[in-house]
């Protein structure tokens, strides 16, 4: 499973079903300079291009390459290994907080290293069998493109089939299955063959649904309310 920026926002990552964005820093700084946030987030600028016509901001759609590692150096995910950059929307909860906060004001072509404490990543629960609870994460990222964000879909409304303003396990399960099958179909149409990560997620989609509920169902009543839902739920930002 692509465990990068999706977080238990792999919960929300799969819930919101798309993801865009994060990041940048306002002044052009020397290579290797670092910013230390009070919340424990560390941002190091590994490369800043001399010419920067635009910087990322909340609401932008960003396309990035990234590699994520644990503190022991073990790599848990990389878009470079798939040769497929990651596109998401900045600042709307589609990715972990460390990305939303650490990638603002970034130039196209800029490279950064983010050291993300667990409270801005996957928390004490971790993510599946890949990221342990309480893990500090390191991401090396490169911003490939900035574009205007498309209108934000009301994902909550799309999942809420019976229109009762809350999401049941059956509704979330149907959404996850539909999404993953579309990923398989798109891969086949593109001639990419079968994606083992997507196949595994499809086989284990009940487990993924439970991970989503563990993250989103704050009051543990068996439903995800409109207020609890962290993905896009308005027709506009």
């Amino acid at each position: 499973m692509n465990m990068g920026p999706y977080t238990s926002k792999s919960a929300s990552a799969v819930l919101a079903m798309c993801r865009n964005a994060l990041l940048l820093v306002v002044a052009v700084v020397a290579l290797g300079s670092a910013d230390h946030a009070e919340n424990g987030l560390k941002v190091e600028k590994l490369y800043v291009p001399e010419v920067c016509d635009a910087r990322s901001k909340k609401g932008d759609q960003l396309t990035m390459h990234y590699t994520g590692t644990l503190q022991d150096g073990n790599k848990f995910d990389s878009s470079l290994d798939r040769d497929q950059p990651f596109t998401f929307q900045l600042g709307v909860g589609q990715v972990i907080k460390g990305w939303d906060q650490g990638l603002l004001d970034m130039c196209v072509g800029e490279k950064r290293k983010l050291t993300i404490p667990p409270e801005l990543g996957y928390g004490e629960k971790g993510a599946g069998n890949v990221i342990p609870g309480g893990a500090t994460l390191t991401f090396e990222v490169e911003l490939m493109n900035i574009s205007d964000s498309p209108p934000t879909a009301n994902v909550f409304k799309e999942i809420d089939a019976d229109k009762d303003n809350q999401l049941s396990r059956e509704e979330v399960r149907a959404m996850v299955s539909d999404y993953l099958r579309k990923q398989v179909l798109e891969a086949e149409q593109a001639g990419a063959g079968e994606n083992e990560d997507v196949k595994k997620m499809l086989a284990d989609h009940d487990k993924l649904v439970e991970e989503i509920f563990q993250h989103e169902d704050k009051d543990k009543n068996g439903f995800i309310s409109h207020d609890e839902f962290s993905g896009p739920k308005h027709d506009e930002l």
Side-chain angles (χ1 to χ4, degrees):
M1 178 178 173
N2 176 353
M3 293 307 301
Y6 279 120
T7 192
S8 260
K9 297 241 168 195
S10 262
S12 294
V14 180
L15 274 176
M17 264 356 141
C18 70
R19 302 309 173 186
N20 301 319
L22 293 76
L23 342 295
L24 306 101
V25 185
V26 180
V28 174
V29 188
L31 286 182
S33 63
D35 293 331
H36 297 266
E38 292 182 0
N39 58 11
L41 174 67
K42 180 180 179 182
V43 180
E44 299 175 76
K45 299 165 206 174
L46 304 178
Y47 172 76
V48 181
E50 292 183 4
V51 178
C52 183
D53 295 327
R55 295 177 179 274
S56 61
K57 63 184 184 300
K58 181 178 179 180
D60 282 345
Q61 183 140 315
L62 305 187
T63 298
M64 308 191 74
H65 268 306
Y66 69 89
T67 296
T69 57
L70 301 175
Q71 283 189 301
D72 60 8
N74 284 332
K75 178 172 63 176
F76 57 82
D77 190 28
S78 176
S79 64
L80 295 170
D81 292 346
R82 296 184 295 274
D83 194 26
Q84 182 178 359
F86 177 59
T87 299
F88 56 99
Q89 188 176 5
L90 173 62
V92 298
Q94 291 185 351
V95 291
I96 57 176
K97 292 179 181 178
W99 272 47
D100 268 334
Q101 297 177 18
L103 298 174
L104 289 165
D105 287 329
M106 197 169 182
C107 303
V108 172
E110 184 175 339
K111 298 180 180 180
R112 293 185 180 183
K113 179 179 179 180
L114 307 181
T115 303
I116 301 174
E119 57 269 25
L120 299 180
Y122 292 83
E124 295 304 318
K125 295 180 179 179
N129 297 323
V130 181
I131 299 176
T136 294
L137 309 177
T138 299
F139 285 95
E140 291 197 8
V141 300
E142 179 180 4
L143 181 58
M144 311 301 292
N145 187 60
I146 302 173
S147 61
D148 292 335
S149 173
T152 302
N154 189 332
V155 176
F156 183 93
K157 184 177 180 180
E158 292 176 1
I159 301 172
D160 186 19
D162 60 9
K163 310 304 179 188
D164 64 351
N165 212 36
Q166 60 182 3
L167 306 181
S168 67
R169 278 178 168 78
E170 290 72 21
E171 289 170 328
V172 174
R173 185 177 295 109
M175 176 275 297
V176 170
S177 297
D178 182 60
Y179 173 74
L180 293 176
R181 288 192 176 94
K182 286 180 180 178
Q183 295 299 300
V184 172
L185 179 60
E186 289 176 4
E188 291 175 348
Q189 291 175 341
E194 295 183 333
N195 185 307
E196 292 302 320
D197 288 340
V198 174
K199 283 178 60 181
K200 187 177 187 303
M201 289 171 66
L202 190 56
D204 296 339
H205 75 282
D206 283 341
K207 181 178 179 181
L208 181 56
V209 169
E210 291 309 311
E211 289 181 1
I212 290 172
F213 267 81
Q214 185 179 47
H215 178 264
E216 298 285 309
D217 182 16
K218 303 296 192 302
D219 62 8
K220 306 304 178 188
N221 70 342
F223 294 90
I224 300 171
S225 70
H226 187 272
D227 287 341
E228 290 172 329
F229 184 74
S230 65
K233 52 190 175 186
H234 302 290
D235 291 324
E236 66 281 329
L237 288 176

